[in-house]
Amino acid sequence: MERSPLKCLFVSSEVVPFAKTGGLADVIGALPKKLREQGVEVRVVMPYYSKIRNQFFEHDSHFLTSFDVYLGWRVQGVGVYFDDTLLPTYFLKSDTYFSRPELYGYQDDYERFGFFCKAVLEMLRHIDFIPDIIHCNDWQTGPLCLLLKEMYSRDTFFSKIRTVYTIHNMKYQGLFGREALNVLDLNNDYMTPEKIEYHGAVSYMKAGLLYSDKITTVSPTYAEEIKTYEYGCGLDRLLGDKLYYKIEGILNGIDYDVYNPQTDPHIYKNYTWRSIKRKQENKKQFQLEYGLEEKDCMLIGVVSRITDQKGFDLMKDTVDKLWVMDKIMQLDVQFVILGTGEKEYEDMFKHFAYKYPNRSNVFLTFNEPLAQKIYAASDVFLMPSLFEPCGLGQLIAMRYGTVPIVRKTGGLKDTVIHYNSLTKEGTGFEFEECSGYWMYKKIEEAYTYYKEYPEHFRQMQLNGMKKGFSWDDAAKKYIKLYESMI
Ligand code: ADP
């Protein structure tokens, strides 16, 4: 007898192309598509932020249904909208919670995402889709795993549904005051270290970790790292001693339709590995458009959230009594960074852009077309992260023939291979120690290859471009995982 297709509902607070602040959105924009190609019946659900409505849907013609959600003593209405132009996606509308300019960072985030989790479960009673698996992502969806296991699964309608909880970043745990218990209709029994209490706070991340059926992280190395004191963000004992049996690391890919130098509409000149010489034209045009001196020197690119996680403190170390950034600029290089984040680092990069006019530029904004231009124009891509669950920047860079220089941690370790000039294998440069000195040494090494051994530099570019980082493999692994659960 033929089995009916596996049904999976992805729950996420951000999804490309509708809303994005980082890699999570890329993953949910791409993985479900691949799963669908491989025969899984996939749907996605996300909040209906007002900017999605303004940008993507002129009219509310895709309205499906509405119902009430009970949150402690509150009753909140929710509208369900459905669109399947790209992927079958449900948008949950609540003006109270999601008509705001930003995705996160509000005092009532515990209530907004508590509401979201409950609304997703309630939605299932109103639509024609009962998933085998609900795939939750990051702290915003942690409570869903708890609500399903502790309450909803008593109802036979929900009892067969299993949950996967994916950690995209351990650092953001969704820690809130006790009022979060009330929103989730949980009593004080849940406020213990064995349950969802974390140093006096309610932890949405713990709700996901403890009450999901399987946990995944976005690279095999990160799956091991989070069980250690250094990387576990206070949850290492829980993960290493108690939950280790249900953790698996599955390496992210990138969407080869979106990140493709051959077809990318945002870059100046399209190219493939066969026509990589044309990549040079992207640098030229970029220099011209963004006020850098037009010359053939090594262009170092960064596209990143500018936070301490991404390793920018290393720029402030000293080498030969100079700031690392000053030392780097003593080489014949140009430096460009696109990102937003902590003011301290933003100011630092503004300072250097001012200090090295025509050679350095900083764009403190979130701009995807500009990001693509930087990936295509740069010769090397710098990613000195302190920790990196997977990292997509280095994967996109390699796809665009841009050689990554990374710290050997998490997904960076799993995806970048240090170049070996003897075997001509490898795709970039890695340094292990968290020090500005070693970061500088690797930039210097890349620079030497670029200047003195261009044929080796070209080899690294080609090795990176030919490496397969599509979602095919990951999708197969997720399917295997889902099948093991039902
Ligand atoms: P994280 O999820 O930790 O921010 P990743 O490397 O996993 O880091 O993913 C970051 C994604 O966001 C990449 O697709 C990167 O190109 C993109 N990105 C980061 N900052 C910006 C920005 N300022 N403008 C456009 N895209 C950005």
Side-chain angles (χ1 to χ4, degrees), residues 51-77:
K51 70 175 178 191
I52 301 181
R53 215 158 57 233
N54 301 337
Q55 206 181 328
F56 291 91
F57 305 108
E58 258 178 42
H59 309 289
D60 281 342
S61 56
H62 52 307
F63 172 78
L64 202 64
T65 181
S66 64
F67 52 86
D68 285 336
V69 174
Y70 292 82
L71 299 167
W73 51 268
R74 274 149 290 208
V75 184
Q76 294 285 358

PDB file of all heavy atoms in Angstrom, residues 51-77:
ATOM      1  N   LYS A  51       4.394  45.162   7.395  1.00  0.00           N
ATOM      2  CA  LYS A  51       5.186  45.480   6.192  1.00  0.00           C
ATOM      3  C   LYS A  51       5.057  44.392   5.107  1.00  0.00           C
ATOM      4  O   LYS A  51       5.244  44.670   3.936  1.00  0.00           O
ATOM      5  CB  LYS A  51       6.633  45.795   6.536  1.00  0.00           C
ATOM      6  CG  LYS A  51       7.490  44.677   7.007  1.00  0.00           C
ATOM      7  CD  LYS A  51       8.913  45.198   7.171  1.00  0.00           C
ATOM      8  CE  LYS A  51       9.810  44.108   7.707  1.00  0.00           C
ATOM      9  NZ  LYS A  51      11.105  44.579   8.126  1.00  0.00           N
ATOM     10  N   ILE A  52       4.699  43.184   5.504  1.00  0.00           N
ATOM     11  CA  ILE A  52       4.457  42.150   4.482  1.00  0.00           C
ATOM     12  C   ILE A  52       3.205  42.525   3.705  1.00  0.00           C
ATOM     13  O   ILE A  52       3.148  42.440   2.476  1.00  0.00           O
ATOM     14  CB  ILE A  52       4.255  40.758   5.125  1.00  0.00           C
ATOM     15  CG1 ILE A  52       5.471  40.345   5.953  1.00  0.00           C
ATOM     16  CG2 ILE A  52       3.943  39.718   4.054  1.00  0.00           C
ATOM     17  CD1 ILE A  52       5.349  38.980   6.589  1.00  0.00           C
ATOM     18  N   ARG A  53       2.201  42.963   4.476  1.00  0.00           N
ATOM     19  CA  ARG A  53       0.933  43.342   3.833  1.00  0.00           C
ATOM     20  C   ARG A  53       1.184  44.486   2.838  1.00  0.00           C
ATOM     21  O   ARG A  53       0.730  44.452   1.708  1.00  0.00           O
ATOM     22  CB  ARG A  53      -0.055  43.775   4.908  1.00  0.00           C
ATOM     23  CG  ARG A  53      -1.452  43.384   4.563  1.00  0.00           C
ATOM     24  CD  ARG A  53      -2.359  43.302   5.759  1.00  0.00           C
ATOM     25  NE  ARG A  53      -2.468  44.494   6.545  1.00  0.00           N
ATOM     26  CZ  ARG A  53      -2.265  44.537   7.859  1.00  0.00           C
ATOM     27  NH1 ARG A  53      -1.886  43.465   8.500  1.00  0.00           N
ATOM     28  NH2 ARG A  53      -2.428  45.645   8.531  1.00  0.00           N
ATOM     29  N   ASN A  54       1.955  45.468   3.280  1.00  0.00           N
ATOM     30  CA  ASN A  54       2.190  46.633   2.426  1.00  0.00           C
ATOM     31  C   ASN A  54       3.019  46.284   1.197  1.00  0.00           C
ATOM     32  O   ASN A  54       2.787  46.786   0.109  1.00  0.00           O
ATOM     33  CB  ASN A  54       2.903  47.741   3.203  1.00  0.00           C
ATOM     34  CG  ASN A  54       2.083  48.161   4.406  1.00  0.00           C
ATOM     35  OD1 ASN A  54       0.863  47.956   4.414  1.00  0.00           O
ATOM     36  ND2 ASN A  54       2.730  48.711   5.425  1.00  0.00           N
ATOM     37  N   GLN A  55       3.980  45.400   1.388  1.00  0.00           N
ATOM     38  CA  GLN A  55       4.926  45.127   0.310  1.00  0.00           C
ATOM     39  C   GLN A  55       4.457  44.040  -0.660  1.00  0.00           C
ATOM     40  O   GLN A  55       4.731  44.105  -1.842  1.00  0.00           O
ATOM     41  CB  GLN A  55       6.250  44.697   0.945  1.00  0.00           C
ATOM     42  CG  GLN A  55       7.462  44.961   0.078  1.00  0.00           C
ATOM     43  CD  GLN A  55       8.727  44.483   0.787  1.00  0.00           C
ATOM     44  OE1 GLN A  55       8.831  44.523   2.020  1.00  0.00           O
ATOM     45  NE2 GLN A  55       9.689  44.012   0.022  1.00  0.00           N
ATOM     46  N   PHE A  56       3.745  43.045  -0.138  1.00  0.00           N
ATOM     47  CA  PHE A  56       3.459  41.877  -0.984  1.00  0.00           C
ATOM     48  C   PHE A  56       1.993  41.718  -1.382  1.00  0.00           C
ATOM     49  O   PHE A  56       1.696  41.120  -2.397  1.00  0.00           O
ATOM     50  CB  PHE A  56       3.921  40.586  -0.301  1.00  0.00           C
ATOM     51  CG  PHE A  56       5.414  40.475  -0.214  1.00  0.00           C
ATOM     52  CD1 PHE A  56       6.091  40.958   0.891  1.00  0.00           C
ATOM     53  CD2 PHE A  56       6.147  39.914  -1.250  1.00  0.00           C
ATOM     54  CE1 PHE A  56       7.473  40.867   0.968  1.00  0.00           C
ATOM     55  CE2 PHE A  56       7.526  39.819  -1.180  1.00  0.00           C
ATOM     56  CZ  PHE A  56       8.190  40.296  -0.067  1.00  0.00           C
ATOM     57  N   PHE A  57       1.091  42.166  -0.536  1.00  0.00           N
ATOM     58  CA  PHE A  57      -0.323  41.903  -0.821  1.00  0.00           C
ATOM     59  C   PHE A  57      -1.114  43.203  -0.758  1.00  0.00           C
ATOM     60  O   PHE A  57      -1.329  43.734   0.333  1.00  0.00           O
ATOM     61  CB  PHE A  57      -0.892  40.893   0.185  1.00  0.00           C
ATOM     62  CG  PHE A  57      -0.112  39.610   0.243  1.00  0.00           C
ATOM     63  CD1 PHE A  57       0.687  39.317   1.336  1.00  0.00           C
ATOM     64  CD2 PHE A  57      -0.159  38.707  -0.812  1.00  0.00           C
ATOM     65  CE1 PHE A  57       1.415  38.135   1.392  1.00  0.00           C
ATOM     66  CE2 PHE A  57       0.574  37.530  -0.764  1.00  0.00           C
ATOM     67  CZ  PHE A  57       1.359  37.243   0.337  1.00  0.00           C
ATOM     68  N   GLU A  58      -1.534  43.667  -1.923  1.00  0.00           N
ATOM     69  CA  GLU A  58      -2.257  44.933  -1.943  1.00  0.00           C
ATOM     70  C   GLU A  58      -3.622  44.802  -1.297  1.00  0.00           C
ATOM     71  O   GLU A  58      -4.081  45.663  -0.576  1.00  0.00           O
ATOM     72  CB  GLU A  58      -2.421  45.389  -3.386  1.00  0.00           C
ATOM     73  CG  GLU A  58      -1.434  46.474  -3.750  1.00  0.00           C
ATOM     74  CD  GLU A  58      -1.585  46.872  -5.188  1.00  0.00           C
ATOM     75  OE1 GLU A  58      -2.741  46.994  -5.636  1.00  0.00           O
ATOM     76  OE2 GLU A  58      -0.547  47.044  -5.846  1.00  0.00           O
ATOM     77  N   HIS A  59      -4.264  43.699  -1.585  1.00  0.00           N
ATOM     78  CA  HIS A  59      -5.603  43.491  -1.030  1.00  0.00           C
ATOM     79  C   HIS A  59      -5.557  42.271  -0.132  1.00  0.00           C
ATOM     80  O   HIS A  59      -4.701  41.420  -0.274  1.00  0.00           O
ATOM     81  CB  HIS A  59      -6.618  43.264  -2.151  1.00  0.00           C
ATOM     82  CG  HIS A  59      -6.533  44.312  -3.202  1.00  0.00           C
ATOM     83  ND1 HIS A  59      -6.949  45.602  -2.990  1.00  0.00           N
ATOM     84  CD2 HIS A  59      -6.041  44.277  -4.462  1.00  0.00           C
ATOM     85  CE1 HIS A  59      -6.715  46.314  -4.083  1.00  0.00           C
ATOM     86  NE2 HIS A  59      -6.160  45.531  -4.990  1.00  0.00           N
ATOM     87  N   ASP A  60      -6.520  42.211   0.759  1.00  0.00           N
ATOM     88  CA  ASP A  60      -6.561  41.050   1.651  1.00  0.00           C
ATOM     89  C   ASP A  60      -7.381  39.926   1.018  1.00  0.00           C
ATOM     90  O   ASP A  60      -8.146  39.248   1.688  1.00  0.00           O
ATOM     91  CB  ASP A  60      -7.138  41.461   3.011  1.00  0.00           C
ATOM     92  CG  ASP A  60      -6.067  42.176   3.850  1.00  0.00           C
ATOM     93  OD1 ASP A  60      -4.885  42.036   3.526  1.00  0.00           O
ATOM     94  OD2 ASP A  60      -6.442  42.850   4.815  1.00  0.00           O
ATOM     95  N   SER A  61      -7.213  39.716  -0.272  1.00  0.00           N
ATOM     96  CA  SER A  61      -8.070  38.759  -0.973  1.00  0.00           C
ATOM     97  C   SER A  61      -7.773  37.321  -0.574  1.00  0.00           C
ATOM     98  O   SER A  61      -8.569  36.430  -0.822  1.00  0.00           O
ATOM     99  CB  SER A  61      -7.885  38.914  -2.471  1.00  0.00           C
ATOM    100  OG  SER A  61      -6.506  38.756  -2.749  1.00  0.00           O
ATOM    101  N   HIS A  62      -6.617  37.106   0.031  1.00  0.00           N
ATOM    102  CA  HIS A  62      -6.243  35.737   0.353  1.00  0.00           C
ATOM    103  C   HIS A  62      -6.661  35.352   1.772  1.00  0.00           C
ATOM    104  O   HIS A  62      -6.086  34.472   2.379  1.00  0.00           O
ATOM    105  CB  HIS A  62      -4.744  35.543   0.149  1.00  0.00           C
ATOM    106  CG  HIS A  62      -3.904  36.563   0.865  1.00  0.00           C
ATOM    107  ND1 HIS A  62      -4.092  37.899   0.716  1.00  0.00           N
ATOM    108  CD2 HIS A  62      -2.905  36.418   1.747  1.00  0.00           C
ATOM    109  CE1 HIS A  62      -3.240  38.548   1.483  1.00  0.00           C
ATOM    110  NE2 HIS A  62      -2.507  37.675   2.125  1.00  0.00           N
ATOM    111  N   PHE A  63      -7.673  36.053   2.290  1.00  0.00           N
ATOM    112  CA  PHE A  63      -8.182  35.734   3.631  1.00  0.00           C
ATOM    113  C   PHE A  63      -8.786  34.323   3.644  1.00  0.00           C
ATOM    114  O   PHE A  63      -9.513  33.941   2.744  1.00  0.00           O
ATOM    115  CB  PHE A  63      -9.257  36.756   4.017  1.00  0.00           C
ATOM    116  CG  PHE A  63      -9.967  36.408   5.289  1.00  0.00           C
ATOM    117  CD1 PHE A  63      -9.362  36.657   6.511  1.00  0.00           C
ATOM    118  CD2 PHE A  63     -11.231  35.833   5.262  1.00  0.00           C
ATOM    119  CE1 PHE A  63     -10.003  36.319   7.693  1.00  0.00           C
ATOM    120  CE2 PHE A  63     -11.875  35.485   6.441  1.00  0.00           C
ATOM    121  CZ  PHE A  63     -11.253  35.735   7.656  1.00  0.00           C
ATOM    122  N   LEU A  64      -8.456  33.571   4.687  1.00  0.00           N
ATOM    123  CA  LEU A  64      -8.942  32.191   4.765  1.00  0.00           C
ATOM    124  C   LEU A  64      -9.982  32.024   5.869  1.00  0.00           C
ATOM    125  O   LEU A  64     -11.074  31.545   5.656  1.00  0.00           O
ATOM    126  CB  LEU A  64      -7.741  31.281   5.039  1.00  0.00           C
ATOM    127  CG  LEU A  64      -7.846  29.830   4.686  1.00  0.00           C
ATOM    128  CD1 LEU A  64      -7.998  29.666   3.186  1.00  0.00           C
ATOM    129  CD2 LEU A  64      -6.546  29.115   5.131  1.00  0.00           C
ATOM    130  N   THR A  65      -9.603  32.409   7.078  1.00  0.00           N
ATOM    131  CA  THR A  65     -10.523  32.216   8.197  1.00  0.00           C
ATOM    132  C   THR A  65     -10.093  33.084   9.377  1.00  0.00           C
ATOM    133  O   THR A  65      -9.030  33.704   9.342  1.00  0.00           O
ATOM    134  CB  THR A  65     -10.552  30.720   8.612  1.00  0.00           C
ATOM    135  OG1 THR A  65     -11.474  30.542   9.679  1.00  0.00           O
ATOM    136  CG2 THR A  65      -9.191  30.236   9.085  1.00  0.00           C
ATOM    137  N   SER A  66     -10.914  33.115  10.406  1.00  0.00           N
ATOM    138  CA  SER A  66     -10.512  33.846  11.620  1.00  0.00           C
ATOM    139  C   SER A  66     -11.075  33.122  12.843  1.00  0.00           C
ATOM    140  O   SER A  66     -12.037  32.358  12.743  1.00  0.00           O
ATOM    141  CB  SER A  66     -11.008  35.288  11.578  1.00  0.00           C
ATOM    142  OG  SER A  66     -12.408  35.297  11.584  1.00  0.00           O
ATOM    143  N   PHE A  67     -10.439  33.338  13.983  1.00  0.00           N
ATOM    144  CA  PHE A  67     -10.899  32.723  15.233  1.00  0.00           C
ATOM    145  C   PHE A  67     -10.288  33.477  16.406  1.00  0.00           C
ATOM    146  O   PHE A  67      -9.474  34.391  16.200  1.00  0.00           O
ATOM    147  CB  PHE A  67     -10.524  31.228  15.268  1.00  0.00           C
ATOM    148  CG  PHE A  67      -9.074  30.963  14.979  1.00  0.00           C
ATOM    149  CD1 PHE A  67      -8.117  31.013  15.993  1.00  0.00           C
ATOM    150  CD2 PHE A  67      -8.636  30.682  13.680  1.00  0.00           C
ATOM    151  CE1 PHE A  67      -6.779  30.788  15.720  1.00  0.00           C
ATOM    152  CE2 PHE A  67      -7.293  30.456  13.406  1.00  0.00           C
ATOM    153  CZ  PHE A  67      -6.358  30.511  14.433  1.00  0.00           C
ATOM    154  N   ASP A  68     -10.667  33.086  17.619  1.00  0.00           N
ATOM    155  CA  ASP A  68     -10.114  33.737  18.810  1.00  0.00           C
ATOM    156  C   ASP A  68      -9.055  32.861  19.463  1.00  0.00           C
ATOM    157  O   ASP A  68      -9.134  31.632  19.424  1.00  0.00           O
ATOM    158  CB  ASP A  68     -11.224  33.990  19.844  1.00  0.00           C
ATOM    159  CG  ASP A  68     -12.109  35.148  19.429  1.00  0.00           C
ATOM    160  OD1 ASP A  68     -11.628  36.007  18.653  1.00  0.00           O
ATOM    161  OD2 ASP A  68     -13.276  35.178  19.859  1.00  0.00           O
ATOM    162  N   VAL A  69      -8.084  33.534  20.075  1.00  0.00           N
ATOM    163  CA  VAL A  69      -7.059  32.809  20.825  1.00  0.00           C
ATOM    164  C   VAL A  69      -7.132  33.292  22.269  1.00  0.00           C
ATOM    165  O   VAL A  69      -7.190  34.500  22.520  1.00  0.00           O
ATOM    166  CB  VAL A  69      -5.654  33.114  20.244  1.00  0.00           C
ATOM    167  CG1 VAL A  69      -4.567  32.477  21.103  1.00  0.00           C
ATOM    168  CG2 VAL A  69      -5.551  32.598  18.816  1.00  0.00           C
ATOM    169  N   TYR A  70      -7.134  32.359  23.202  1.00  0.00           N
ATOM    170  CA  TYR A  70      -7.208  32.701  24.624  1.00  0.00           C
ATOM    171  C   TYR A  70      -5.815  32.686  25.225  1.00  0.00           C
ATOM    172  O   TYR A  70      -5.108  31.691  25.175  1.00  0.00           O
ATOM    173  CB  TYR A  70      -8.124  31.713  25.358  1.00  0.00           C
ATOM    174  CG  TYR A  70      -9.549  31.863  24.927  1.00  0.00           C
ATOM    175  CD1 TYR A  70     -10.004  31.252  23.751  1.00  0.00           C
ATOM    176  CD2 TYR A  70     -10.436  32.656  25.655  1.00  0.00           C
ATOM    177  CE1 TYR A  70     -11.300  31.437  23.313  1.00  0.00           C
ATOM    178  CE2 TYR A  70     -11.746  32.833  25.216  1.00  0.00           C
ATOM    179  CZ  TYR A  70     -12.164  32.226  24.049  1.00  0.00           C
ATOM    180  OH  TYR A  70     -13.453  32.420  23.601  1.00  0.00           O
ATOM    181  N   LEU A  71      -5.432  33.842  25.788  1.00  0.00           N
ATOM    182  CA  LEU A  71      -4.116  33.966  26.416  1.00  0.00           C
ATOM    183  C   LEU A  71      -4.347  34.411  27.849  1.00  0.00           C
ATOM    184  O   LEU A  71      -4.539  35.599  28.101  1.00  0.00           O
ATOM    185  CB  LEU A  71      -3.288  35.050  25.719  1.00  0.00           C
ATOM    186  CG  LEU A  71      -2.966  34.874  24.242  1.00  0.00           C
ATOM    187  CD1 LEU A  71      -2.444  36.168  23.669  1.00  0.00           C
ATOM    188  CD2 LEU A  71      -1.943  33.778  24.070  1.00  0.00           C
ATOM    189  N   GLY A  72      -4.304  33.483  28.792  1.00  0.00           N
ATOM    190  CA  GLY A  72      -4.623  33.846  30.163  1.00  0.00           C
ATOM    191  C   GLY A  72      -6.007  34.462  30.205  1.00  0.00           C
ATOM    192  O   GLY A  72      -6.974  33.886  29.703  1.00  0.00           O
ATOM    193  N   TRP A  73      -6.103  35.699  30.701  1.00  0.00           N
ATOM    194  CA  TRP A  73      -7.416  36.355  30.778  1.00  0.00           C
ATOM    195  C   TRP A  73      -7.765  37.106  29.496  1.00  0.00           C
ATOM    196  O   TRP A  73      -8.833  37.664  29.359  1.00  0.00           O
ATOM    197  CB  TRP A  73      -7.455  37.299  31.986  1.00  0.00           C
ATOM    198  CG  TRP A  73      -6.279  38.244  32.016  1.00  0.00           C
ATOM    199  CD1 TRP A  73      -5.102  38.046  32.647  1.00  0.00           C
ATOM    200  CD2 TRP A  73      -6.159  39.504  31.345  1.00  0.00           C
ATOM    201  NE1 TRP A  73      -4.247  39.092  32.433  1.00  0.00           N
ATOM    202  CE2 TRP A  73      -4.875  40.013  31.639  1.00  0.00           C
ATOM    203  CE3 TRP A  73      -7.016  40.267  30.535  1.00  0.00           C
ATOM    204  CZ2 TRP A  73      -4.420  41.231  31.158  1.00  0.00           C
ATOM    205  CZ3 TRP A  73      -6.567  41.483  30.051  1.00  0.00           C
ATOM    206  CH2 TRP A  73      -5.279  41.954  30.360  1.00  0.00           C
ATOM    207  N   ARG A  74      -6.847  37.137  28.533  1.00  0.00           N
ATOM    208  CA  ARG A  74      -7.089  37.903  27.307  1.00  0.00           C
ATOM    209  C   ARG A  74      -7.678  37.038  26.195  1.00  0.00           C
ATOM    210  O   ARG A  74      -7.396  35.858  26.121  1.00  0.00           O
ATOM    211  CB  ARG A  74      -5.773  38.466  26.761  1.00  0.00           C
ATOM    212  CG  ARG A  74      -5.365  39.769  27.356  1.00  0.00           C
ATOM    213  CD  ARG A  74      -3.865  39.852  27.377  1.00  0.00           C
ATOM    214  NE  ARG A  74      -3.349  38.914  28.376  1.00  0.00           N
ATOM    215  CZ  ARG A  74      -2.205  39.066  29.029  1.00  0.00           C
ATOM    216  NH1 ARG A  74      -1.462  40.100  28.770  1.00  0.00           N
ATOM    217  NH2 ARG A  74      -1.819  38.191  29.933  1.00  0.00           N
ATOM    218  N   VAL A  75      -8.460  37.689  25.355  1.00  0.00           N
ATOM    219  CA  VAL A  75      -8.923  37.004  24.142  1.00  0.00           C
ATOM    220  C   VAL A  75      -8.479  37.857  22.967  1.00  0.00           C
ATOM    221  O   VAL A  75      -8.744  39.053  22.938  1.00  0.00           O
ATOM    222  CB  VAL A  75     -10.464  36.891  24.110  1.00  0.00           C
ATOM    223  CG1 VAL A  75     -10.901  36.083  22.892  1.00  0.00           C
ATOM    224  CG2 VAL A  75     -10.990  36.281  25.387  1.00  0.00           C
ATOM    225  N   GLN A  76      -7.758  37.258  22.052  1.00  0.00           N
ATOM    226  CA  GLN A  76      -7.271  38.019  20.899  1.00  0.00           C
ATOM    227  C   GLN A  76      -7.737  37.351  19.610  1.00  0.00           C
ATOM    228  O   GLN A  76      -7.581  36.144  19.453  1.00  0.00           O
ATOM    229  CB  GLN A  76      -5.730  38.052  20.892  1.00  0.00           C
ATOM    230  CG  GLN A  76      -5.104  38.815  22.028  1.00  0.00           C
ATOM    231  CD  GLN A  76      -5.226  40.338  21.852  1.00  0.00           C
ATOM    232  OE1 GLN A  76      -5.751  40.814  20.850  1.00  0.00           O
ATOM    233  NE2 GLN A  76      -4.766  41.082  22.835  1.00  0.00           N
ATOM    234  N   GLY A  77      -8.259  38.161  18.725  1.00  0.00           N
ATOM    235  CA  GLY A  77      -8.690  37.629  17.427  1.00  0.00           C
ATOM    236  C   GLY A  77      -7.487  37.418  16.516  1.00  0.00           C
ATOM    237  O   GLY A  77      -6.482  38.122  16.632  1.00  0.00           O
TER     238      GLY A  77
END
